[in-house]
Amino acid sequence: MDDVERFRSATVAWAAGGDGSAGAAESAREIAARIRPARVLLVEGPSDRVAVETLAARLGRDLDAEGFPVVPLGGVTGIGRFLEILGPRGLGLDVAGLCDAAEERWFLRGLARAGLGDGLGRAGMELRGFHVCVADLEDELIRAVGTETVLRVIADEGEWRAYRTFRNQPAQRERTEEQRLHRFMGTHSGRKSQYARALVRQLDPASVPVPLSRLLADAAA
């Protein structure tokens, strides 16, 4: 495990609290002082991290090496705690991030409590480097590559039979193809990350979802 991964793990453990949080906080501080991250990119979960890092790699970038580690929150309700420990009242690091439209209020509240801006609204939040997916990252990727490409990717991933069975379930028959594809990606652990990676690899550079492209632009500043 390299220093950036140790920093990521220590930060997550520190934010989680519990018996090991004091040691994790000490480790995070020590490693941050050594690696000096340019900006920490906060995302909701592991699939979001996969999408951001995969897109960066497609663009010839290594975010960890450049000083822009992607840290998954493990759930949007943790954003306030992460901003508290990483922001001006904690390690004093620059932060940016990505969230779903339904979770925007959590980010706005966390930014305010961390001293990063009161009453920002979406425009102010984006100026701070926090960008909003509509409705979420899976939805952004499905629309960006198109349903026909997503169906082909499912077949390439060896899951066409599973998807066909899923699509024929009574609860799915009245939904649009986009809605079914979105739901399918969340039906078991690891599938969101699997398709985040696969769909990002299919993206036309001219069709990268705006929140993703803006986050990476912020991580190049």
Side-chain angles (χ1 to χ4, degrees):
M1 185 184 296
D2 63 17
D3 273 348
V4 177
E5 191 59 44
R6 289 188 185 93
F7 170 75
R8 191 164 17 239
S9 297
T11 299
V12 170
W14 183 9
D19 293 341
S21 61
E26 183 178 352
S27 294
R29 290 190 186 97
E30 185 271 326
I31 299 169
R34 185 164 66 248
I35 67 174
R36 298 181 180 181
R39 177 175 261 188
V40 180
L41 309 181
L42 299 172
V43 298
E44 184 173 348
S47 64
D48 305 278
R49 176 187 172 188
V50 167
V52 172
E53 292 181 338
T54 301
L55 179 58
R58 281 199 64 193
L59 299 174
R61 300 184 57 189
D62 182 336
L63 294 177
D64 281 359
E66 293 175 22
F68 300 103
V70 183
V71 176
L73 304 174
V76 71
T77 57
I79 182 61
R81 177 62 174 157
F82 278 87
L83 291 172
E84 176 187 342
I85 67 177
L86 293 173
R89 296 171 182 168
L91 296 182
L93 300 175
D94 197 7
V95 288
L98 193 69
C99 72
D100 300 342
E103 320 301 353
E104 182 178 349
R105 62 190 177 91
W106 289 96
F107 275 63
L108 287 169
R109 187 181 305 165
L111 288 163
R113 290 181 177 176
L116 291 167
D118 289 315
L120 291 174
R122 181 173 295 189
M125 187 168 75
E126 291 184 343
L127 285 174
R128 277 285 185 185
F130 288 84
H131 304 285
V132 183
C133 295
V134 181
D136 56 25
L137 188 55
E138 290 77 27
D139 178 66
E140 293 274 7
L141 291 173
I142 291 167
R143 285 188 287 107
V145 304
T147 55
E148 291 303 316
T149 298
V150 180
L151 292 170
R152 176 171 55 78
V153 168
I154 287 174
D156 290 345
E157 293 289 313
E159 293 204 305
W160 179 251
R161 180 176 295 178
Y163 179 68
R164 185 174 58 189
T165 299
F166 171 81
R167 186 169 60 179
N168 289 332
Q169 292 174 358
Q172 305 303 322
R173 291 174 186 166
E174 300 304 316
R175 293 180 174 176
T176 66
E177 196 76 86
E178 282 190 5
Q179 290 170 334
R180 286 192 291 263
L181 290 167
H182 185 278
R183 181 69 188 91
F184 178 73
M185 291 177 189
T187 51
H188 71 63
S189 177
R191 189 171 267 161
K192 283 187 177 182
S193 293
Q194 173 187 354
Y195 284 98
R197 180 179 292 105
L199 295 183
V200 167
R201 288 173 174 166
Q202 296 295 320
L203 280 174
D204 183 320
S207 301
V208 174
V210 171
L212 272 177
S213 63
R214 287 180 176 173
L215 181 65
L216 287 182
D218 287 341

